[in-house]
Structures are given as structure tokens and as C-alpha cells.
Amino acid sequence: MIVRNRLIALLARIVEFALLSSGLAIFLSQTPSFGQAFCLISTQSCLVFLLFLFVVIVANIIDLRRGIKGIAAGMYMRLALPVFAFCMLGSLLYFIFGLPTDPSLDAVLFHSLMFGVPILEWMCFEEKGTVRYYTAFSSLCYPIIYLLFIYIRPYIFPESIFSNGTAYPYWFFAPDSALTWLYIFLFLLFSYLLVLLYVWINSALSLYKQRFASLPSGRIR
């Protein structure tokens, strides 16, 4: 479940970086302000993912000194895997809640890339089985900080209204509903379960690789 060619990995990662950075640039160019776009989980996760991808591209280039054949340098998965999950979270939040209020082509394109590119990077070029299940719990630090950010922000920028008609990037965070605390709980729970799912899949793929490599044919090793 991992490409064993450093040159293919490098070229694919350059394409990933170009596609996602272009999609982000087009999306940001059509938003009312960078401040509002930055409040979206998809935008924040994309910026972090692009930073990780840029670093790993540089490492991949350096790693070519060891030859083309072999596993390319990868990301530190204890940090990267939650970022992959939050990229997925941002995309899902858009397609479920944001699409009705912002069905523009640039937004659909950007969030589609946010859905697919991290999965491609994870499945094809990153080592599996190196992330423990407690990572799902520690990764809750980001959703909690995010909630603090979006609830403090309206006091600083009270006139900044999103396309959903509220001062919050997602309408269910608006504190004018009796269900707001339930929505917050469900958001944190879903964030936790999504990262947990990614960790489980990551571990399952590693176990599959080990079992497959132990076959008499030895096709992997």
C-alpha cells in the first residue's frame, strides 16, 4: 500500500501541491475576505497540509541521493494523519452544510481537492501503522482551540457576517439556538471519531501489509 519509487513519489507530490495550492488560491480570490475564509476548517487544514507537503517534497528531493527505487521520505504521521482527517472534516462540513449557501464552482473544486488529495498522499506515499489510537484523543486540541477562536472572533469583528447569515462559519455554531451545546458536542465527537477511523484504517493497512508480505510468494519483500 505504498509506492516504492522515490521519483514517482516526488512527481506526484509536486502535482498534488500544484493542484491544491491552485484550488486554494482560486477559492480565496472569490471569497469576500481572507479573514472569513480562514475561519473555515478546510482552509486552515489545507494551509497546514500544504506546509507539510512542501517540507516532504524537499525531503523527497534530498532522499533521491539514495536512488530512485525505495520508499520516499514521508511525513511525521502522528501529526500528519490528524491533518488528513481534518481535511476530510472540512470537506464534509462544506458539502453537507456549506454547499447550499455557497454552491460556486471554485468552492466545489477546492473542497473536492481537499477531499481527494490528502487521501491520495496518505494511501500511496505514507508509511502505515505508526500512529497509536491515543492520537485521536490528543488531536481534539485542534477542534477545541478552533471553537474558542470562532466564539471569540465575533467580539473582535462584530460586523463580519458569513454567507449563512451568522457571525459564525457554520450556522450550527450560532449561540441563538437551544441546541448549540448539542451541536458543539456532536462536532467534537465527530472530530474524534473521524481521526479514530483514520488511525484504525492506518493500522489495518499495516497489518494487511505484514500478512501479505509473509506469504510464501514474498511478493512485497
Side-chain angles (χ1 to χ4, degrees):
M1 299 299 293
I2 186 169
V3 174
R4 295 171 178 268
N5 187 299
R6 295 185 178 95
L7 182 58
I8 292 177
L10 175 62
L11 295 177
R13 283 165 167 168
I14 291 174
V15 172
E16 290 172 8
F17 187 89
L19 285 174
L20 194 53
S21 58
S22 298
L24 176 62
I26 294 172
F27 174 68
L28 292 178
S29 68
Q30 301 300 317
T31 55
S33 68
F34 176 78
Q36 286 195 358
F38 183 75
C39 292
L40 299 175
I41 292 177
S42 52
T43 304
Q44 296 180 10
S45 300
C46 181
L47 291 171
V48 176
F49 177 74
L50 285 174
L51 174 62
F52 283 14
L53 194 56
F54 176 78
V55 172
V56 85
I57 286 173
V58 174
N60 202 160
I61 293 173
I62 297 173
D63 202 33
L64 281 175
R65 295 181 300 176
R66 301 167 57 190
I68 293 177
K69 292 184 178 180
I71 299 175
M75 301 180 187
Y76 181 62
M77 289 301 289
R78 292 185 182 181
L79 291 179
L81 193 64
V83 173
F84 295 162
F86 290 133
C87 288
M88 173 69 74
L89 176 63
S91 297
L92 292 176
L93 287 175
Y94 168 75
F95 286 115
I96 296 173
F97 301 107
L99 186 59
T101 59
D102 183 18
S104 58
L105 180 60
D106 57 279
V108 172
L109 174 63
F110 168 62
H111 289 92
S112 297
L113 290 171
M114 279 292 297
F115 186 93
V117 171
I119 292 179
L120 175 64
E121 171 64 25
W122 173 33
M123 289 296 171
C124 294
F125 308 115
E126 298 300 336
E127 193 66 41
K128 312 301 186 297
T130 57
V131 182
R132 300 292 177 261
Y133 285 98
Y134 63 77
T135 301
F137 182 77
S138 59
S139 66
L140 280 175
C141 291
Y142 169 65
I144 292 173
I145 293 174
Y146 176 77
L147 288 172
L148 292 174
F149 165 70
I150 64 169
Y151 279 112
I152 292 174
R153 182 181 175 276
Y155 293 99
I156 303 175
F157 304 101
E159 298 180 357
S160 179
I161 303 300
F162 290 85
S163 58
N164 58 29
T166 73
Y168 302 88
Y170 306 102
W171 61 265
F172 49 85
F173 285 141
D176 56 356
S177 170
L179 298 176
T180 300
W181 283 107
L182 175 62
Y183 294 146
I184 291 175
F185 171 76
L186 292 175
F187 169 72
L188 293 174
L189 178 62
F190 184 74
S191 300
Y192 171 77
L193 292 177
L194 186 60
V195 178
L196 191 65
L197 175 64
Y198 267 63
V199 175
W200 179 81
I201 294 174
N202 199 61
S203 300
L205 291 173
S206 176
L207 290 174
Y208 173 79
K209 171 187 170 183
Q210 293 173 11
R211 292 173 182 174
F212 191 68
S214 64
L215 294 176
S217 62
R219 282 185 288 175
I220 288 185
R221 297 188 186 280

